PDB file of all heavy atoms in Angstrom:
ATOM      1  N   THR A  42       2.654   4.204  17.938  1.00  0.00           N
ATOM      2  CA  THR A  42       1.318   3.868  18.336  1.00  0.00           C
ATOM      3  C   THR A  42       0.384   3.489  17.099  1.00  0.00           C
ATOM      4  O   THR A  42      -0.879   3.300  17.451  1.00  0.00           O
ATOM      5  CB  THR A  42       0.763   4.990  19.175  1.00  0.00           C
ATOM      6  OG1 THR A  42       0.660   6.172  18.410  1.00  0.00           O
ATOM      7  CG2 THR A  42       1.569   5.215  20.371  1.00  0.00           C
ATOM      8  N   ASN A  43       0.829   3.518  15.926  1.00  0.00           N
ATOM      9  CA  ASN A  43      -0.043   3.198  14.808  1.00  0.00           C
ATOM     10  C   ASN A  43       0.541   2.336  13.786  1.00  0.00           C
ATOM     11  O   ASN A  43       1.686   2.653  13.383  1.00  0.00           O
ATOM     12  CB  ASN A  43      -0.525   4.500  14.120  1.00  0.00           C
ATOM     13  CG  ASN A  43      -1.747   4.282  13.211  1.00  0.00           C
ATOM     14  OD1 ASN A  43      -1.727   3.614  12.210  1.00  0.00           O
ATOM     15  ND2 ASN A  43      -2.856   4.838  13.639  1.00  0.00           N
ATOM     16  N   GLN A  44      -0.036   1.311  13.420  1.00  0.00           N
ATOM     17  CA  GLN A  44       0.472   0.338  12.471  1.00  0.00           C
ATOM     18  C   GLN A  44       0.892   1.012  11.135  1.00  0.00           C
ATOM     19  O   GLN A  44       1.787   0.461  10.456  1.00  0.00           O
ATOM     20  CB  GLN A  44      -0.505  -0.844  12.218  1.00  0.00           C
ATOM     21  CG  GLN A  44      -0.004  -1.943  11.198  1.00  0.00           C
ATOM     22  CD  GLN A  44       1.200  -2.761  11.843  1.00  0.00           C
ATOM     23  OE1 GLN A  44       1.301  -2.860  13.013  1.00  0.00           O
ATOM     24  NE2 GLN A  44       1.991  -3.132  10.901  1.00  0.00           N
ATOM     25  N   LEU A  45       0.143   2.018  10.722  1.00  0.00           N
ATOM     26  CA  LEU A  45       0.396   2.564   9.345  1.00  0.00           C
ATOM     27  C   LEU A  45       1.872   3.096   9.238  1.00  0.00           C
ATOM     28  O   LEU A  45       2.473   3.125   8.253  1.00  0.00           O
ATOM     29  CB  LEU A  45      -0.560   3.660   9.176  1.00  0.00           C
ATOM     30  CG  LEU A  45      -1.883   3.342   8.621  1.00  0.00           C
ATOM     31  CD1 LEU A  45      -2.890   4.582   8.511  1.00  0.00           C
ATOM     32  CD2 LEU A  45      -1.766   2.758   7.234  1.00  0.00           C
ATOM     33  N   LEU A  46       2.339   3.578  10.448  1.00  0.00           N
ATOM     34  CA  LEU A  46       3.763   4.140  10.401  1.00  0.00           C
ATOM     35  C   LEU A  46       4.775   3.099  10.166  1.00  0.00           C
ATOM     36  O   LEU A  46       5.908   3.432   9.813  1.00  0.00           O
ATOM     37  CB  LEU A  46       4.010   4.819  11.782  1.00  0.00           C
ATOM     38  CG  LEU A  46       3.201   6.099  12.154  1.00  0.00           C
ATOM     39  CD1 LEU A  46       3.374   6.487  13.550  1.00  0.00           C
ATOM     40  CD2 LEU A  46       3.560   7.173  11.214  1.00  0.00           C
ATOM     41  N   ILE A  53       1.902   1.421   1.678  1.00  0.00           N
ATOM     42  CA  ILE A  53       1.117   2.578   1.957  1.00  0.00           C
ATOM     43  C   ILE A  53       0.410   3.140   0.684  1.00  0.00           C
ATOM     44  O   ILE A  53      -0.768   3.416   0.638  1.00  0.00           O
ATOM     45  CB  ILE A  53       1.890   3.656   2.739  1.00  0.00           C
ATOM     46  CG1 ILE A  53       2.357   3.144   3.953  1.00  0.00           C
ATOM     47  CG2 ILE A  53       1.016   5.013   2.797  1.00  0.00           C
ATOM     48  CD1 ILE A  53       3.315   4.118   4.703  1.00  0.00           C
ATOM     49  N   ARG A  56      -2.478   0.959  -0.475  1.00  0.00           N
ATOM     50  CA  ARG A  56      -3.616   1.194   0.293  1.00  0.00           C
ATOM     51  C   ARG A  56      -4.358   2.432   0.178  1.00  0.00           C
ATOM     52  O   ARG A  56      -5.630   2.490   0.212  1.00  0.00           O
ATOM     53  CB  ARG A  56      -3.226   0.987   1.858  1.00  0.00           C
ATOM     54  CG  ARG A  56      -2.839  -0.360   2.237  1.00  0.00           C
ATOM     55  CD  ARG A  56      -2.815  -0.602   3.703  1.00  0.00           C
ATOM     56  NE  ARG A  56      -2.328  -1.914   4.103  1.00  0.00           N
ATOM     57  CZ  ARG A  56      -2.256  -2.413   5.318  1.00  0.00           C
ATOM     58  NH1 ARG A  56      -2.612  -1.695   6.326  1.00  0.00           N
ATOM     59  NH2 ARG A  56      -1.867  -3.702   5.537  1.00  0.00           N
ATOM     60  N   ILE A  57      -3.544   3.502  -0.123  1.00  0.00           N
ATOM     61  CA  ILE A  57      -4.221   4.745  -0.498  1.00  0.00           C
ATOM     62  C   ILE A  57      -4.987   4.677  -1.745  1.00  0.00           C
ATOM     63  O   ILE A  57      -6.111   5.092  -1.902  1.00  0.00           O
ATOM     64  CB  ILE A  57      -3.130   5.890  -0.511  1.00  0.00           C
ATOM     65  CG1 ILE A  57      -2.556   6.200   0.881  1.00  0.00           C
ATOM     66  CG2 ILE A  57      -3.664   7.237  -1.121  1.00  0.00           C
ATOM     67  CD1 ILE A  57      -1.379   7.106   0.834  1.00  0.00           C
ATOM     68  N   ARG A  60      -8.100   2.884  -1.392  1.00  0.00           N
ATOM     69  CA  ARG A  60      -9.003   3.569  -0.504  1.00  0.00           C
ATOM     70  C   ARG A  60      -9.148   2.831   0.778  1.00  0.00           C
ATOM     71  O   ARG A  60     -10.208   2.992   1.488  1.00  0.00           O
ATOM     72  CB  ARG A  60     -10.359   3.926  -1.086  1.00  0.00           C
ATOM     73  CG  ARG A  60     -10.350   4.576  -2.526  1.00  0.00           C
ATOM     74  CD  ARG A  60      -9.343   5.737  -2.550  1.00  0.00           C
ATOM     75  NE  ARG A  60      -9.722   6.900  -1.693  1.00  0.00           N
ATOM     76  CZ  ARG A  60      -8.832   7.567  -1.038  1.00  0.00           C
ATOM     77  NH1 ARG A  60      -7.623   7.365  -1.007  1.00  0.00           N
ATOM     78  NH2 ARG A  60      -9.200   8.648  -0.313  1.00  0.00           N
ATOM     79  N   GLN A  61      -8.154   2.021   1.164  1.00  0.00           N
ATOM     80  CA  GLN A  61      -8.233   1.389   2.482  1.00  0.00           C
ATOM     81  C   GLN A  61      -7.825   2.403   3.616  1.00  0.00           C
ATOM     82  O   GLN A  61      -8.050   2.122   4.746  1.00  0.00           O
ATOM     83  CB  GLN A  61      -7.289   0.056   2.497  1.00  0.00           C
ATOM     84  CG  GLN A  61      -7.677  -0.908   1.518  1.00  0.00           C
ATOM     85  CD  GLN A  61      -6.657  -2.076   1.382  1.00  0.00           C
ATOM     86  OE1 GLN A  61      -5.864  -2.186   2.354  1.00  0.00           O
ATOM     87  NE2 GLN A  61      -6.763  -2.836   0.341  1.00  0.00           N
ATOM     88  N   VAL A  62      -6.988   3.384   3.203  1.00  0.00           N
ATOM     89  CA  VAL A  62      -6.674   4.414   4.079  1.00  0.00           C
ATOM     90  C   VAL A  62      -6.505   5.602   3.283  1.00  0.00           C
ATOM     91  O   VAL A  62      -6.419   5.708   2.045  1.00  0.00           O
ATOM     92  CB  VAL A  62      -5.301   4.037   4.771  1.00  0.00           C
ATOM     93  CG1 VAL A  62      -4.162   4.024   3.712  1.00  0.00           C
ATOM     94  CG2 VAL A  62      -4.914   4.966   5.868  1.00  0.00           C
ATOM     95  N   THR A  63      -6.628   6.853   3.952  1.00  0.00           N
ATOM     96  CA  THR A  63      -6.581   8.069   3.244  1.00  0.00           C
ATOM     97  C   THR A  63      -5.134   8.675   3.354  1.00  0.00           C
ATOM     98  O   THR A  63      -4.374   8.335   4.250  1.00  0.00           O
ATOM     99  CB  THR A  63      -7.503   9.125   3.804  1.00  0.00           C
ATOM    100  OG1 THR A  63      -7.139   9.533   5.146  1.00  0.00           O
ATOM    101  CG2 THR A  63      -8.883   8.623   3.745  1.00  0.00           C
ATOM    102  N   SER A  64      -4.706   9.454   2.262  1.00  0.00           N
ATOM    103  CA  SER A  64      -3.486  10.060   2.334  1.00  0.00           C
ATOM    104  C   SER A  64      -3.392  11.045   3.486  1.00  0.00           C
ATOM    105  O   SER A  64      -2.334  11.237   4.158  1.00  0.00           O
ATOM    106  CB  SER A  64      -3.253  10.747   0.996  1.00  0.00           C
ATOM    107  OG  SER A  64      -2.071  11.620   1.059  1.00  0.00           O
ATOM    108  N   TYR A  65      -4.556  11.657   3.807  1.00  0.00           N
ATOM    109  CA  TYR A  65      -4.629  12.648   4.843  1.00  0.00           C
ATOM    110  C   TYR A  65      -4.228  11.968   6.203  1.00  0.00           C
ATOM    111  O   TYR A  65      -3.453  12.531   7.025  1.00  0.00           O
ATOM    112  CB  TYR A  65      -5.994  13.247   4.987  1.00  0.00           C
ATOM    113  CG  TYR A  65      -6.148  14.323   6.061  1.00  0.00           C
ATOM    114  CD1 TYR A  65      -5.708  15.712   5.779  1.00  0.00           C
ATOM    115  CD2 TYR A  65      -6.389  13.978   7.295  1.00  0.00           C
ATOM    116  CE1 TYR A  65      -5.838  16.660   6.778  1.00  0.00           C
ATOM    117  CE2 TYR A  65      -6.560  14.960   8.277  1.00  0.00           C
ATOM    118  CZ  TYR A  65      -6.295  16.239   8.006  1.00  0.00           C
ATOM    119  OH  TYR A  65      -6.343  17.253   8.954  1.00  0.00           O
ATOM    120  N   GLU A  66      -4.809  10.809   6.456  1.00  0.00           N
ATOM    121  CA  GLU A  66      -4.466  10.176   7.666  1.00  0.00           C
ATOM    122  C   GLU A  66      -3.004   9.686   7.716  1.00  0.00           C
ATOM    123  O   GLU A  66      -2.380   9.932   8.838  1.00  0.00           O
ATOM    124  CB  GLU A  66      -5.344   8.878   7.800  1.00  0.00           C
ATOM    125  CG  GLU A  66      -5.065   8.043   9.154  1.00  0.00           C
ATOM    126  CD  GLU A  66      -5.926   6.854   9.274  1.00  0.00           C
ATOM    127  OE1 GLU A  66      -6.662   6.529   8.240  1.00  0.00           O
ATOM    128  OE2 GLU A  66      -5.781   6.147  10.281  1.00  0.00           O
ATOM    129  N   VAL A  67      -2.421   9.263   6.663  1.00  0.00           N
ATOM    130  CA  VAL A  67      -0.968   8.915   6.644  1.00  0.00           C
ATOM    131  C   VAL A  67      -0.092  10.147   6.966  1.00  0.00           C
ATOM    132  O   VAL A  67       0.831   9.992   7.767  1.00  0.00           O
ATOM    133  CB  VAL A  67      -0.549   8.248   5.339  1.00  0.00           C
ATOM    134  CG1 VAL A  67       0.977   8.012   5.277  1.00  0.00           C
ATOM    135  CG2 VAL A  67      -1.330   6.855   5.108  1.00  0.00           C
ATOM    136  N   VAL A  68      -0.368  11.144   6.266  1.00  0.00           N
ATOM    137  CA  VAL A  68       0.372  12.447   6.384  1.00  0.00           C
ATOM    138  C   VAL A  68       0.245  12.942   7.733  1.00  0.00           C
ATOM    139  O   VAL A  68       1.222  13.404   8.397  1.00  0.00           O
ATOM    140  CB  VAL A  68      -0.041  13.434   5.274  1.00  0.00           C
ATOM    141  CG1 VAL A  68       0.683  14.910   5.605  1.00  0.00           C
ATOM    142  CG2 VAL A  68       0.320  13.024   3.965  1.00  0.00           C
ATOM    143  N   ARG A  69      -0.976  12.969   8.372  1.00  0.00           N
ATOM    144  CA  ARG A  69      -1.251  13.449   9.718  1.00  0.00           C
ATOM    145  C   ARG A  69      -0.448  12.610  10.696  1.00  0.00           C
ATOM    146  O   ARG A  69       0.213  13.244  11.675  1.00  0.00           O
ATOM    147  CB  ARG A  69      -2.727  13.385  10.037  1.00  0.00           C
ATOM    148  CG  ARG A  69      -3.076  13.888  11.440  1.00  0.00           C
ATOM    149  CD  ARG A  69      -4.522  13.761  11.762  1.00  0.00           C
ATOM    150  NE  ARG A  69      -4.929  12.310  11.625  1.00  0.00           N
ATOM    151  CZ  ARG A  69      -4.810  11.423  12.610  1.00  0.00           C
ATOM    152  NH1 ARG A  69      -4.120  11.795  13.707  1.00  0.00           N
ATOM    153  NH2 ARG A  69      -5.249  10.267  12.446  1.00  0.00           N
ATOM    154  N   LEU A  70      -0.332  11.329  10.568  1.00  0.00           N
ATOM    155  CA  LEU A  70       0.278  10.509  11.460  1.00  0.00           C
ATOM    156  C   LEU A  70       1.800  10.779  11.386  1.00  0.00           C
ATOM    157  O   LEU A  70       2.512  10.785  12.467  1.00  0.00           O
ATOM    158  CB  LEU A  70       0.035   9.022  11.133  1.00  0.00           C
ATOM    159  CG  LEU A  70      -1.353   8.470  11.580  1.00  0.00           C
ATOM    160  CD1 LEU A  70      -1.596   7.044  10.999  1.00  0.00           C
ATOM    161  CD2 LEU A  70      -1.498   8.426  13.088  1.00  0.00           C
ATOM    162  N   CYS A  71       2.291  10.929  10.218  1.00  0.00           N
ATOM    163  CA  CYS A  71       3.784  11.295  10.005  1.00  0.00           C
ATOM    164  C   CYS A  71       4.134  12.556  10.630  1.00  0.00           C
ATOM    165  O   CYS A  71       5.158  12.682  11.237  1.00  0.00           O
ATOM    166  CB  CYS A  71       4.122  11.199   8.604  1.00  0.00           C
ATOM    167  SG  CYS A  71       4.190   9.459   7.876  1.00  0.00           S
ATOM    168  N   ILE A  72       3.201  13.538  10.411  1.00  0.00           N
ATOM    169  CA  ILE A  72       3.491  14.931  11.035  1.00  0.00           C
ATOM    170  C   ILE A  72       3.505  14.811  12.551  1.00  0.00           C
ATOM    171  O   ILE A  72       4.436  15.281  13.308  1.00  0.00           O
ATOM    172  CB  ILE A  72       2.490  15.846  10.627  1.00  0.00           C
ATOM    173  CG1 ILE A  72       2.618  16.141   9.075  1.00  0.00           C
ATOM    174  CG2 ILE A  72       2.501  17.134  11.470  1.00  0.00           C
ATOM    175  CD1 ILE A  72       1.527  17.047   8.428  1.00  0.00           C
ATOM    176  N   GLU A  73       2.594  14.058  13.202  1.00  0.00           N
ATOM    177  CA  GLU A  73       2.522  13.980  14.605  1.00  0.00           C
ATOM    178  C   GLU A  73       3.744  13.224  15.190  1.00  0.00           C
ATOM    179  O   GLU A  73       4.303  13.616  16.185  1.00  0.00           O
ATOM    180  CB  GLU A  73       1.306  13.177  15.008  1.00  0.00           C
ATOM    181  CG  GLU A  73      -0.085  13.981  14.837  1.00  0.00           C
ATOM    182  CD  GLU A  73      -1.303  13.160  15.139  1.00  0.00           C
ATOM    183  OE1 GLU A  73      -1.178  11.925  15.423  1.00  0.00           O
ATOM    184  OE2 GLU A  73      -2.381  13.723  15.067  1.00  0.00           O
ATOM    185  N   ARG A  74       4.133  12.200  14.482  1.00  0.00           N
ATOM    186  CA  ARG A  74       5.263  11.430  14.887  1.00  0.00           C
ATOM    187  C   ARG A  74       6.557  12.314  14.721  1.00  0.00           C
ATOM    188  O   ARG A  74       7.445  12.298  15.617  1.00  0.00           O
ATOM    189  CB  ARG A  74       5.494  10.209  13.915  1.00  0.00           C
ATOM    190  CG  ARG A  74       6.715   9.392  14.277  1.00  0.00           C
ATOM    191  CD  ARG A  74       6.664   8.755  15.665  1.00  0.00           C
ATOM    192  NE  ARG A  74       7.906   7.974  15.887  1.00  0.00           N
ATOM    193  CZ  ARG A  74       8.189   7.418  17.055  1.00  0.00           C
ATOM    194  NH1 ARG A  74       7.440   7.588  18.071  1.00  0.00           N
ATOM    195  NH2 ARG A  74       9.381   6.739  17.245  1.00  0.00           N
ATOM    196  N   ALA A  93       1.315  20.094   3.260  1.00  0.00           N
ATOM    197  CA  ALA A  93       1.218  18.688   2.998  1.00  0.00           C
ATOM    198  C   ALA A  93      -0.123  18.067   3.314  1.00  0.00           C
ATOM    199  O   ALA A  93      -0.594  17.230   2.501  1.00  0.00           O
ATOM    200  CB  ALA A  93       2.272  17.891   3.823  1.00  0.00           C
ATOM    201  N   LEU A  94      -0.805  18.593   4.338  1.00  0.00           N
ATOM    202  CA  LEU A  94      -2.153  18.107   4.662  1.00  0.00           C
ATOM    203  C   LEU A  94      -3.142  18.530   3.544  1.00  0.00           C
ATOM    204  O   LEU A  94      -4.056  17.725   3.221  1.00  0.00           O
ATOM    205  CB  LEU A  94      -2.541  18.633   6.010  1.00  0.00           C
ATOM    206  CG  LEU A  94      -1.858  17.922   7.235  1.00  0.00           C
ATOM    207  CD1 LEU A  94      -2.152  18.753   8.508  1.00  0.00           C
ATOM    208  CD2 LEU A  94      -2.309  16.463   7.392  1.00  0.00           C
ATOM    209  N   ALA A  97      -2.609  16.356   0.604  1.00  0.00           N
ATOM    210  CA  ALA A  97      -3.197  14.976   0.863  1.00  0.00           C
ATOM    211  C   ALA A  97      -4.706  15.090   0.740  1.00  0.00           C
ATOM    212  O   ALA A  97      -5.307  14.122   0.130  1.00  0.00           O
ATOM    213  CB  ALA A  97      -2.797  14.560   2.367  1.00  0.00           C
ATOM    214  N   GLN A  98      -5.377  16.076   1.285  1.00  0.00           N
ATOM    215  CA  GLN A  98      -6.837  16.208   1.133  1.00  0.00           C
ATOM    216  C   GLN A  98      -7.233  16.300  -0.360  1.00  0.00           C
ATOM    217  O   GLN A  98      -8.245  15.648  -0.767  1.00  0.00           O
ATOM    218  CB  GLN A  98      -7.310  17.455   1.839  1.00  0.00           C
ATOM    219  CG  GLN A  98      -7.391  17.369   3.337  1.00  0.00           C
ATOM    220  CD  GLN A  98      -7.856  18.575   4.009  1.00  0.00           C
ATOM    221  OE1 GLN A  98      -7.418  19.687   3.700  1.00  0.00           O
ATOM    222  NE2 GLN A  98      -8.658  18.411   5.091  1.00  0.00           N
ATOM    223  N   ASP A 101      -7.008  12.777  -1.788  1.00  0.00           N
ATOM    224  CA  ASP A 101      -8.144  11.922  -1.267  1.00  0.00           C
ATOM    225  C   ASP A 101      -9.469  12.349  -2.087  1.00  0.00           C
ATOM    226  O   ASP A 101     -10.272  11.401  -2.392  1.00  0.00           O
ATOM    227  CB  ASP A 101      -8.315  12.173   0.077  1.00  0.00           C
ATOM    228  CG  ASP A 101      -7.190  11.481   1.006  1.00  0.00           C
ATOM    229  OD1 ASP A 101      -6.614  10.451   0.506  1.00  0.00           O
ATOM    230  OD2 ASP A 101      -6.905  11.917   2.057  1.00  0.00           O
ATOM    231  N   GLY A 127       0.341  10.159  -2.620  1.00  0.00           N
ATOM    232  CA  GLY A 127      -0.148  10.326  -1.289  1.00  0.00           C
ATOM    233  C   GLY A 127       0.816  10.006  -0.159  1.00  0.00           C
ATOM    234  O   GLY A 127       0.440  10.107   1.058  1.00  0.00           O
ATOM    235  N   VAL A 128       2.069   9.441  -0.443  1.00  0.00           N
ATOM    236  CA  VAL A 128       2.953   9.064   0.549  1.00  0.00           C
ATOM    237  C   VAL A 128       3.856  10.107   0.905  1.00  0.00           C
ATOM    238  O   VAL A 128       4.591  10.699   0.035  1.00  0.00           O
ATOM    239  CB  VAL A 128       3.739   7.869   0.052  1.00  0.00           C
ATOM    240  CG1 VAL A 128       4.588   7.349   1.096  1.00  0.00           C
ATOM    241  CG2 VAL A 128       2.735   6.767  -0.356  1.00  0.00           C
ATOM    242  N   PRO A 129       4.164  10.451   2.158  1.00  0.00           N
ATOM    243  CA  PRO A 129       5.004  11.543   2.629  1.00  0.00           C
ATOM    244  C   PRO A 129       6.520  11.122   2.550  1.00  0.00           C
ATOM    245  O   PRO A 129       6.849   9.904   2.804  1.00  0.00           O
ATOM    246  CB  PRO A 129       4.650  11.872   3.973  1.00  0.00           C
ATOM    247  CG  PRO A 129       3.972  10.557   4.541  1.00  0.00           C
ATOM    248  CD  PRO A 129       3.384   9.881   3.291  1.00  0.00           C
ATOM    249  N   ILE A 171       4.461  13.230  -1.245  1.00  0.00           N
ATOM    250  CA  ILE A 171       4.167  14.581  -0.599  1.00  0.00           C
ATOM    251  C   ILE A 171       5.363  14.887   0.277  1.00  0.00           C
ATOM    252  O   ILE A 171       5.699  14.250   1.190  1.00  0.00           O
ATOM    253  CB  ILE A 171       2.957  14.541   0.194  1.00  0.00           C
ATOM    254  CG1 ILE A 171       1.682  14.285  -0.707  1.00  0.00           C
ATOM    255  CG2 ILE A 171       2.742  15.779   0.974  1.00  0.00           C
ATOM    256  CD1 ILE A 171       0.378  14.074   0.041  1.00  0.00           C
ATOM    257  N   LEU A 173       7.383  16.458   3.180  1.00  0.00           N
ATOM    258  CA  LEU A 173       7.011  16.953   4.567  1.00  0.00           C
ATOM    259  C   LEU A 173       8.035  17.931   5.101  1.00  0.00           C
ATOM    260  O   LEU A 173       7.592  18.935   5.721  1.00  0.00           O
ATOM    261  CB  LEU A 173       6.990  15.705   5.455  1.00  0.00           C
ATOM    262  CG  LEU A 173       5.678  15.472   6.326  1.00  0.00           C
ATOM    263  CD1 LEU A 173       4.516  15.580   5.534  1.00  0.00           C
ATOM    264  CD2 LEU A 173       5.889  14.207   7.193  1.00  0.00           C
ATOM    265  N   ILE A 534      -2.418   0.947  19.181  1.00  0.00           N
ATOM    266  CA  ILE A 534      -3.729   1.190  19.754  1.00  0.00           C
ATOM    267  C   ILE A 534      -4.806   0.878  18.752  1.00  0.00           C
ATOM    268  O   ILE A 534      -4.624   0.789  17.661  1.00  0.00           O
ATOM    269  CB  ILE A 534      -3.872   2.634  20.246  1.00  0.00           C
ATOM    270  CG1 ILE A 534      -3.570   3.708  19.103  1.00  0.00           C
ATOM    271  CG2 ILE A 534      -2.955   2.914  21.417  1.00  0.00           C
ATOM    272  CD1 ILE A 534      -3.811   5.083  19.534  1.00  0.00           C
TER     273      ILE A 534
END
Side-chain angles (χ1 to χ4, degrees):
T42 58
N43 194 294
Q44 179 67 32
L45 277 174
L46 292 170
I53 294 173
R56 292 194 179 185
I57 290 172
R60 309 314 293 141
Q61 297 175 18
V62 65
T63 65
S64 174
Y65 183 88
E66 182 180 2
V67 173
V68 171
R69 179 183 60 80
L70 286 170
C71 286
I72 290 171
E73 289 176 356
R74 176 66 179 175
L94 287 170
Q98 283 180 319
D101 288 331
V128 182
I171 297 175
L173 229 56
I534 55 176

